[in-house]
Structures are given as C-alpha cells and as structure tokens.
Amino acid sequence: MKALIKIIAVAAALGLSPATALAQDALPAQPAQELVAESQADPAQPEEASPDQAEVNPEEPSDATVAQSTYASQVSPRVGVGQPDGRMGLQEQFTPIGEEAAWFHDVLLMPVITVISIFVLALMLWVVIRYRRAANPTPSRTTHNTLVEVIWTLVPVIILVVIAVPSIRLLANQYSPPEADLTVKVVGNQWYWTYQYPDHGDFELVSNMLSDEDAAARGEPRLLAVDERMVVPVGATVKLIVTSNDVIHAFAVPAFWSKIDAVPGRLNETWFQVKEPGIYYGQCSELCGARHAYMPIAVEVVPPAQFAAWVASKGGTMPGAAPAASAEASAAPSTDTDGILEPTLVNATQAAVPVEQAATSNPGIAE
C-alpha cells in the first residue's frame, strides 16, 4: 500500500496523474502561431460578451467588404502623424493643449531634470575622488555649514516654483475648456467603442478593430485601424463625455494629449480641438480584459463641409437644420372633410435612429 502511494505521489509531481493524463488526451495540442492567428481574426467583441451587438452591427468588423462610405473622406493616414512611428519622444501634437504640454515637457522639464541629474552625478564623483581615504587621511569634523544649508533649501524651492507656474496653467487650460461646438458620447465596451452624436440626431457608431489583412488593404497600421471612425470637423471644440458599459476602460489619443478613464456608472468629460485634417489613432489605456489590446481608437478630422455630408450619410442632422421633406410638409397644411384647417404635426428633427444604450437604459423599470 505504501509503495502504491509513493508511485501516485511521484506521478502527480511529474504531472502524470490519471486526471492530468486524461485531460491532456482530451485537449488536442494547437500550435501557438495558430492561436495567435485565430485571436487576430476574431471580431473585436465576442458575441457572448455583448449579445445585443449583433442587432446593431451584424457584420463582422474584419470583413473586407466593409464599405468605404463608413469613412468621411478618402484621406490616407500619414506615417508619423497621429500614430506611433518608433520615436523615443512624444508624438507630434495637433491640439492647443497638446502643444502646450509638449512645450512644458521638452523645453522646461527635460532640461531641468537633465541639469539636476548631471549636477548630482558630478557632485557624487567629486566627493568620491576628493574625500577618499588615500587623498584625505585626516577627515574634517565639520558638521554644519550655514551657507550650504541655505543653498540646498532655497534652490529646490525655486526650481519647484518655476515648474509649478506653467504646470498649474496647463491644468487650468485642460479643465476649463472653451464652449463646445459639438458633443460626442464615448462608451467603452469589452472590447470595442461606441460613439454617439447627441447634437446631430443622436445616431450611434459601433467601432471595431479590423483584421491585419483588411488594415493592410486600406494602407492603415495594424491593430489601430477600425471599421467606424469617430469623425469631427477640423478646428471645432469637441467635448467628449466618456463612460463604460462593463469594466473600466480608458480613451486615449496621444496626438491630442487626451486620456481619460471610462468608468461604469460615471460620466467623465474632456475636450480637444484639432488644427489639421487627418487620421489620428489611439488605444484603450486601461487593462480591461482578454482583448484589451484589440480595441483601438481612430479619429478622422475633416473639413466642416465633409463632416456635414458624413452626418447626413449616417442619418443624422446638423444642428438647426431640418430635412427637406419635413420642410415641404410643414408648408402644406392639411384639411378635413368639414373644410376646417388642421395643423400638420412635423418631426423637425427626423425620426430617431434606433440605438442600443446599455449604459443609460433601465430595463428593470416598467414603462
């Protein structure tokens, strides 16, 4: 009996227990490369993670037949603009806040920390060489030096004050945005983004990552290309209202100097104003699950006329504009059989586009 117990213990230690052996036989081996290929070929959001998504966007995002009309223009991304290009420093900035923050980092912080590091290194080397035992056999018994103590107290304070002034100004500019020209509600999901345009008919976009093949066919960077981009007009102040449907995500576009958490049950707010048309990429910057690395962000910045045409193609309306059919109907009153004029009720903002808003719906409340 003891011998049998010893044999079982040795087998368990070597991973050869009967249960382990049966499990290994039941699960056929699969090459690592095949697993990677399958994970990249899958849609950005699994059906089990968001079952309602099939009703909103039944086509898989990696399908090469996604129409070019999903984009507002035929602008191609430029290497080094709005995307990583291997540089060691910051990406080129295209917003006022980004330019101010880049100046703060490059012109002030980096020189200050470089000078401090070189000074401290030189001071340490001087102390090691000058006051080593061979060169200084009789050490000094000096314990205090008033001038030195005043200097090493005042100099750090002056440095911190110099850094604090532009730092506080940058924070004030970030959290005191100008009046917004349009609002976009950004909702994070496992593992895709949805964009809602409440100022333009409240239509919704569902943005999924494209496969490597589809991204290459469109000349876009892998793991950053999407089937539906957020589209905004150039020069407009865009207010983002950011939240989440499930776990904590983070909406981040490095070229805008923009990063904010998407927290379930909470509305966070940020803004940006892009100076140049183009395509700018970002990614979710908060670990949010198995496919965290596969929920990119693409923002397409276009001239105002192209933005208006894109809004119309999505079934939305520009603020203050009514559809042509509704305007004609409002000009022609209807009559009944008694000859009494009756007003015709017109929906001046067009029929609402049905959307899924899991973050704001209350299915448990009876209508």
Side-chain angles (χ1 to χ4, degrees):
M1 185 65 180
K2 293 182 179 180
L4 179 59
I5 293 175
K6 290 181 179 180
I7 293 174
I8 294 176
V10 172
L14 298 177
L16 299 177
S17 62
T20 304
L22 290 174
Q24 292 177 351
D25 293 338
L27 296 174
Q30 191 171 6
Q33 294 180 354
E34 185 177 350
L35 288 174
V36 174
E38 288 182 359
S39 66
Q40 292 180 352
D42 287 340
Q45 76 285 0
E47 293 183 359
E48 63 272 17
S50 54
D52 296 334
Q53 181 59 26
E55 300 177 1
V56 179
N57 186 18
E59 297 182 358
E60 293 185 356
S62 61
D63 192 345
T65 60
V66 177
Q68 288 290 343
S69 60
T70 60
Y71 301 154
S73 68
Q74 299 299 322
V75 176
S76 299
R78 293 180 291 166
V79 177
V81 175
Q83 58 181 294
D85 58 359
R87 73 178 69 183
M88 185 173 61
L90 303 172
Q91 286 189 26
E92 185 178 356
Q93 298 299 306
F94 292 89
T95 64
I97 292 296
E99 291 178 350
E100 182 179 356
W103 176 90
F104 181 51
H105 176 270
D106 297 337
V107 178
L108 186 59
L109 292 184
M110 289 302 294
V112 167
I113 194 62
T114 301
V115 171
I116 292 175
S117 299
I118 293 175
F119 172 75
V120 172
L121 178 61
L123 187 62
M124 290 179 62
L125 293 176
W126 180 73
V127 170
V128 169
I129 296 174
R130 172 64 181 81
Y131 295 101
R132 70 188 190 278
R133 177 176 296 181
N136 190 36
T138 305
S140 172
R141 295 184 178 274
T142 302
T143 57
H144 295 283
N145 187 301
T146 303
L147 178 61
V148 171
E149 292 182 0
V150 170
I151 291 175
W152 73 34
T153 301
L154 289 181
V155 171
V157 171
I158 294 173
I159 293 174
L160 291 178
V161 170
V162 170
I163 293 175
V165 173
S167 176
I168 294 174
R169 183 175 63 243
L170 175 61
L171 288 174
N173 293 337
Q174 282 183 289
Y175 294 100
S176 299
E179 184 178 356
D181 297 313
L182 74 154
T183 300
V184 180
K185 183 178 180 182
V186 180
V187 183
N189 307 269
Q190 289 180 312
W191 289 272
Y192 62 98
W193 297 96
T194 57
Y195 306 122
Q196 300 171 13
Y197 288 74
D199 298 337
H200 300 81
D202 205 22
F203 64 92
E204 181 180 74
L205 307 175
V206 181
S207 180
N208 291 284
M209 186 188 75
L210 294 178
S211 67
D212 292 351
E213 294 77 10
D214 294 339
R218 292 176 176 174
E220 297 191 59
R222 64 181 296 269
L223 301 182
L224 292 176
V226 299
D227 59 347
E228 288 280 3
R229 301 168 182 157
M230 178 196 295
V231 180
V232 297
V234 65
T237 300
V238 181
K239 180 172 73 174
L240 298 183
I241 299 176
V242 184
T243 187
S244 171
N245 273 341
D246 34 55
V247 299
I248 298 178
H249 302 275
F251 184 89
V253 182
F256 298 167
W257 201 271
S258 177
K259 179 181 181 296
I260 191 166
D261 284 346
V263 182
R266 177 173 177 173
L267 298 178
N268 288 331
E269 187 175 306
T270 187
W271 70 283
F272 61 81
Q273 184 185 64
V274 189
K275 296 183 175 181
E276 296 183 17
I279 303 173
Y280 305 90
Y281 298 97
Q283 286 182 309
C284 175
S285 298
E286 186 75 29
L287 186 60
C288 58
R291 295 187 64 82
H292 159 68
Y294 305 104
M295 52 180 304
I297 299 162
V299 180
E300 185 174 0
V301 182
V302 297
Q306 289 188 11
F307 176 73
W310 175 82
V311 168
S313 71
K314 296 299 181 182
T317 56
M318 296 298 292
S326 298
E328 294 176 359
S330 60
S334 61
T335 58
D336 59 7
T337 54
D338 297 331
I340 302 175
L341 294 177
E342 293 183 355
T344 301
L345 299 178
V346 179
N347 184 359
T349 59
Q350 193 181 20
V353 179
V355 297
E356 293 291 334
Q357 295 182 344
T360 58
S361 60
N362 296 304
I365 302 177
E367 296 182 357

